[in-house]
């Protein structure tokens, strides 16, 4: 996977932004202190997303958003390569 990252901050808040290219496989993200927003970019990919005890099977298409609340671990299983913009 490759990534381009940026961080924006002031005294009270900071935002991290990463443009990530991923391959087929599984990505597990532990529960984080803040919320995470993931936007799918590029070609559609088949995905299974598990978080907060629920499972979603389907396709991610350009512009799809995943909003993961703070304190929630999640796992994505993808069958194809793709690109995502991740903010936390």
């Amino acid at each position: 996977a490759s990534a381009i990252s940026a961080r924006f901050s002031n005294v009270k808040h900071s935002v991290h932004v990463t443009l990530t290219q991923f391959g087929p496989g599984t990505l597990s993200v532990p529960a984080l202190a803040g919320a995470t927003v993931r936007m799918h970019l590029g070609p559609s990919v088949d995905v299974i997303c598990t978080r907060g005890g629920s499972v979603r099977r389907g396709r991610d298409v350009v512009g799809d958003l995943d909003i993961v609340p703070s304190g929630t671990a999640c796992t994505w299983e993808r069958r194809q390569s793709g690109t995502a913009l991740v903010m936390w």
Side-chain angles (χ1 to χ4, degrees):
S2 62
I4 299 171
S5 298
R7 180 175 182 231
F8 307 94
S9 65
N10 63 29
V11 175
K12 294 183 181 182
H13 305 283
S14 66
V15 176
H16 301 267
V17 179
T18 302
L19 180 64
T20 304
Q21 294 181 336
F22 55 84
T26 301
L27 172 66
S28 294
V29 178
L32 301 175
T36 303
V37 178
R38 180 190 153 279
M39 179 189 294
H40 182 78
L41 305 172
S44 300
V45 297
D46 295 313
V47 64
I48 300 171
C49 177
T50 305
R51 78 168 160 246
S54 64
V55 178
R56 178 185 70 84
R57 290 176 172 80
R59 285 184 76 71
D60 279 353
V61 299
V62 172
D64 276 355
L65 291 174
D66 284 312
I67 300 172
V68 181
S70 61
T72 304
C74 58
T75 301
W76 286 276
E77 297 176 44
R78 301 179 192 104
R79 296 180 192 251
Q80 298 88 10
S81 297
T83 304
L85 180 69
V86 183
M87 298 156 275
W88 72 100

